[in-house]
Amino acid sequence: MAEPLTFTCSCGASHWHLAPKALSDGTRLKCYCKDCQAYLHHLGHADDLDDAGGSEIFQTLPQYLDISGVGEKLAALKIKKGGATRWYTDCCNTPICNTASGPKFAFVGMLTAPADTDEHFGKLRGQVQVPSGNPTREFGMPYIVRKIFSRLFKARLTGSWKQNPLFDTATLQPKVEPHRLTQEEIAAAYAK
């Protein structure tokens, strides 16, 4: 049986795992949206962006994520009301993943290191949210959306959406209260 893929935070105090099943059922992409960029700038991890401002993301189901090695160092933030919840370790601000605002939309976008992507996460299936004027070519959005909704439907049908380590599925609330960035924090993160 294949071993889970282990991620470690920058300082080594926290780790999390992705089940092998996720690797055959997920989608690798690059996102160039301003919010993903602001998230990494705010955490001090802008070096995780490529030269054109893209972040490597592997989309899968939350049920494949094990964050037990993060423990009380789990933290979350929100840039926009109703927007994605962005998870990280508060020991060294290492980004973990993005999710929807609640668990019923069974989705997790794992932030991955570019060096790991080809070996573990397979072929790049899309580059999305590319702003005009960026030399990067956008592609793959229809495929990515189909895969998201296919996984979402499967999770709802089987009830596996309730297997979410980031949310209390009884109350539908995040396991930790996300920090809502202030206008000053948002402006500083977008300015970089």
Side-chain angles (χ1 to χ4, degrees), residues 21 24-27 59-64 104-107 141-161:
K21 173 69 174 147
S24 63
D25 192 35
T27 307
Q59 295 178 339
T60 189
L61 290 167
Q63 71 192 53
Y64 299 134
K104 287 188 176 183
F105 194 95
F107 165 86
M141 184 61 93
Y143 175 83
I144 290 165
V145 170
R146 275 194 317 273
K147 290 294 282 185
I148 288 171
F149 282 99
S150 171
R151 285 189 294 267
L152 175 63
F153 179 73
K154 177 181 167 185
R156 295 292 291 180
L157 189 64
T158 64
S160 65
W161 69 272

Side-chain angles (χ1 to χ4, degrees), residues 105-146:
F105 194 95
F107 165 86
V108 64
M110 303 289 301
L111 274 86
T112 63
D116 294 335
T117 52
D118 290 330
E119 179 185 351
H120 299 296
F121 303 109
K123 180 180 175 183
L124 183 67
R125 297 295 184 169
Q127 295 183 150
V128 297
Q129 305 290 325
V130 178
S132 62
N134 188 315
T136 303
R137 181 178 65 90
E138 183 160 328
F139 70 94
M141 184 61 93
Y143 175 83
I144 290 165
V145 170
R146 275 194 317 273

Side-chain angles (χ1 to χ4, degrees), residues 27-56:
T27 307
R28 177 182 163 214
L29 62 102
K30 283 188 181 185
C31 183
Y32 291 83
C33 80
K34 292 292 185 189
D35 289 349
C36 281
Q37 293 172 11
Y39 167 49
L40 293 173
H41 281 290
H42 178 75
L43 295 179
H45 282 267
D47 55 338
D48 290 344
L49 297 167
D50 71 14
D51 291 342
S55 54
E56 289 274 355

Side-chain angles (χ1 to χ4, degrees), residues 72-85:
E72 294 182 10
K73 293 173 179 52
L74 182 66
L77 65 83
K78 289 181 107 22
I79 297 171
K80 295 177 181 170
K81 184 179 180 181
T85 303

